[in-house]
Amino acid sequence: MAVTLPHSLATPAERLAALRGQLAQSGLHACLVPTADPHLSEYLPEHWAARAWLSGFDGSAGSLLVTADFAGLWTDSRYWVQAEAQLRGSGIVLMRAGAPDVPDALDWALAHLARGDRVAVDGRVLDLAAERRWRSALEGAGMALVLDQDPVGAIWTGRPTLPAAPVFEHLPPHACRTRADNLAAVRAAMRNHGAAWHLLSSLDDIAWLLNLRGTDVDYNPVFLAHALLDEDGVRLYVAPGKIDAGLAARLAADGVALRDYAALAADLAALPPDAALLVDPARVTAGTLSHAPQARRIEAINPSQLLKSVKNAAEADNIRAAMAQDGAALCEFFAWFEAALAAGERITEIDVDTRLSAARARRPGFVSLSFATIAGFNANGAMPHYRATGSSHAVIQGDGLLLIDSGGQYLGGTTDITRVVPVGTPSDAQRADYTTVLQAHIALARARFPEDTPSSVLDTLARMPLWRRGLDYGHGTGHGVGYFLNVHEGPQSISVRGHARPHQGMKAGMLTSNEPGLYRDGQWGIRIENLVLAVPAGQTGFGSFLEFETVTLCPIDTRCVVRERLSADEIAWLDAYHARVRECLLPLVDGAARDWLLARTEAL
């Protein structure tokens, strides 16, 4: 049942009014709109960006709850400033998730809805853990969770279609494992779990498993698909026309049969009674699993999450080569930037994005950016997920700090780097903060620890230099990074809010970011980020130890460093890092970029 819609739903306020009419006609009392698609992706195709379309807030995280007389958007501190601006005039209340006295969406619903009320959420995009939490709590309060209705979809006129770009194969020498080897490793894990079937909906897992890539999702080289494995074959559910005949034949040779994207529901319903089905509850939606009620679920992390997080020796070599090309692009950019500043040219944050992206695009093996570039000057740098737009950006002039967080997708690896550079004359307070963040970065970079140490445990190493000054930052210190895949990858997560789960132990071959920061609201932000590869550090009577090899190659600006605050060991680390950066990048740059590299890698 759909309401009669006005000719135009041009504003969030108009869309909310239409949604409330739809809820009333459908006998619903609330609608939850998460930021998700059927694959629980970080970046969403426009077709699934329902929360952004409805609210006008386009940050990458948040949930919207709408009732007859209330609409609230829950998002974390990274997006409070952005959300406050984008929600203005919409009638939507910003709910600052994580702030004191701010209930989460479920607690708010329990406190404000009545017995007998029905809460709708599109089950196709609701993860299994959230479904269980909401259903248990609502039913305990005499309410109902409704998953088989999509009230937003019913009013979304002109909804974008699903992407139709072709799928392509990731080939040697950049693909360093065969499809057959990947399938064999996953099937071995299935047998260990006692599973006869394995359902995959997470796009990075499917892309890695089958050595395929795509362009359906911004920044992540993946494509919309599901996969269903048994001991003998794989059914790949993908839209017709996305895989050409030649690739289809090569997939068939490895036991991969193509099925229509929409055929998954029927195939799940046709599984044998009591089929042992391995699923990852964090990476599959309640709506998808609702089609296989007869299956006996075996819940565990997707084996491919663990397998792809550990890069092999050939992948590590390709990553090092990609980092060198990325570093050369950054040298070219920074040489232009400093010369243009000195010449008095007008430079905006958008110019930084444009020039840096162009420099990367000229490097061999470059495919795309790995996320939207963050270029934030002074106060804008204090927002960790700031994004300059044509209507809202800063001119880089006067004195201060410019934070640039950027990355690229290369055929041989994924990069992610943050640098902060002075503009004009930085203040003593800025230099003190910069030096503290550098000490935090060096502390984690120099870590040595037993293999299988829970990744979350390492977080405090980076925070100690800040904590000593009574400072802190709100985000995690490190995330896993894919191999020409998602820039944010699990299972490891170096975060003070993490948990010491068995699958989050650090292993040799894991590629992880090292990115402590410090943010002065309304003033400046500092973050220094490199990617580090866990490598063996020797065997002792207490077991196998690991250490980090910093693989990102780009000078860390020393003009903001308060040298007397650094220890001899910290200075030695920085000088050794710059010597390696110079050695690796000199063969790849010339002219002004070469001169800039030589100047910025001088020993401290």
Side-chain angles (χ1 to χ4, degrees), residues 434-446 461-462 464-466 468 556 558 561-578 603-604:
Y434 183 94
T435 304
T436 301
V437 174
L438 176 60
Q439 290 175 305
H441 180 94
I442 293 172
L444 183 57
R446 297 179 62 220
L461 297 177
M464 284 303 297
L466 288 103
R468 280 194 291 266
I556 297 172
T558 59
V561 172
V562 182
R563 191 183 191 283
E564 53 269 27
R565 284 177 175 260
L566 297 182
S567 69
D569 286 346
E570 290 166 339
I571 292 172
W573 182 92
L574 188 59
D575 286 347
Y577 174 68
H578 280 152
L604 192 63

Side-chain angles (χ1 to χ4, degrees), residues 176-177 310-320 509 533:
C176 304
R177 317 184 200 204
V310 176
K311 280 59 177 178
N312 63 30
E315 289 167 339
D317 285 343
N318 285 341
I319 288 168
R320 295 182 183 101
L533 187 69

